[in-house]
């Protein structure tokens, strides 16, 4: 973080810590759920990102991944992971802070969270669930559009 001649700090993004905040894996039909099946179960995956300031430069970014596998109406497995990282962010213009927090930080956390989910499903007796890469910039754009839509509908006429 060297200062240049204009006295501004060059932008930096550092991971200070990564952690599992909450984690669960349920295999309610075991051992029957482990039998060979004709077709793969339908898997529904949900992703959420939240960020909270810890100080002026430190932020807690939390990535939540949940997956539910169903065979018809029977639940095969359910897993949920709340995976966090403490990031030190400095030198970014204010207008770049939300994209850094909601796009770049979860992009750095995702490979670790993905591996934890893959290991849990494999350890649960299933093929590892390898969640496809997530487009966090598209997710962020959608979230911004939803919030702008809510602001328009709740604004007084």
């Amino acid at each position: 973080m060297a200062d240049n001649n204009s006295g501004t700090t060059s932008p930096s993004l550092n991971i200070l810590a990564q952690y599992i905040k909450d984690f669960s894996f349920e295999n309610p039909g075991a051992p029957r759920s482990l039998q060979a099946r004709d077709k793969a179960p339908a898997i529904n995956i949900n992703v959420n990102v939240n960020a909270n300031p810890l100080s002026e430069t430190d932020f807690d970014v939390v990535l939540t991944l949940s997956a539910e596998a169903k065979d018809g109406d029977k639940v095969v497995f359910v897993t949920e992971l709340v995976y966090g990282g403490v990031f030190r962010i400095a030198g970014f213009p204010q207008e770049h802070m939300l994209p850094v927090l909601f796009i770049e930080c979860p992009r750095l956390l995702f490979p670790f969270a993905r591996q934890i989910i893959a290991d849990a499903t494999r350890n649960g007796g299933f093929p590892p669930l390898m969640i496809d890469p997530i487009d966090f910039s598209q997710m962020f754009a959608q979230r911004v559009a939803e919030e702008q839509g809510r602001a328009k509908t709740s604004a007084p006429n």
Side-chain angles (χ1 to χ4, degrees):
M1 275 88 30
D3 286 343
N4 60 22
N5 293 341
S6 66
T8 59
T9 304
S10 60
S12 66
L13 171 63
N14 300 307
I15 302 176
L16 303 181
Q18 290 178 234
Y19 62 93
I20 294 174
K21 186 168 188 159
D22 189 20
F23 180 58
S24 68
F25 179 84
E26 297 172 34
N27 187 353
R32 282 185 171 54
S33 62
L34 303 177
Q35 295 172 341
R37 46 183 98 252
D38 299 335
K39 59 182 173 57
I43 300 176
N44 183 27
I45 297 172
N46 289 304
V47 180
N48 193 19
V49 177
N50 282 306
N52 296 301
L54 300 173
S55 71
E56 195 173 303
T57 58
D58 295 356
F59 297 84
D60 181 38
V61 178
V62 177
L63 173 62
T64 302
L65 297 174
S66 60
E68 180 180 61
K70 283 185 154 184
D71 187 4
D73 61 349
K74 285 194 171 34
V75 173
V76 178
F77 69 80
V78 178
T79 185
E80 182 178 41
L81 172 64
V82 180
Y83 191 74
V86 177
F87 293 85
R88 179 156 293 153
I89 303 170
F92 284 92
Q94 192 59 41
E95 65 270 16
H96 293 168
M97 285 303 291
L98 286 178
V100 168
L101 288 168
F102 287 91
I103 299 170
E104 295 309 319
C105 293
R107 193 184 328 237
L108 292 169
L109 294 174
F110 177 74
F112 299 97
R114 179 181 192 242
Q115 188 62 52
I116 292 166
I117 295 286
D119 288 346
T121 53
R122 187 189 69 238
N123 291 339
F126 301 99
L129 175 60
M130 301 303 287
I131 299 173
D132 289 336
I134 296 167
D135 185 348
F136 290 105
S137 58
Q138 189 264 334
M139 239 177 89
F140 177 70
Q142 186 177 346
R143 186 173 181 165
V144 168
E146 286 170 4
E147 287 179 11
Q148 287 173 342
R150 272 197 295 274
K152 284 180 186 165
T153 59
S154 64
N157 293 338

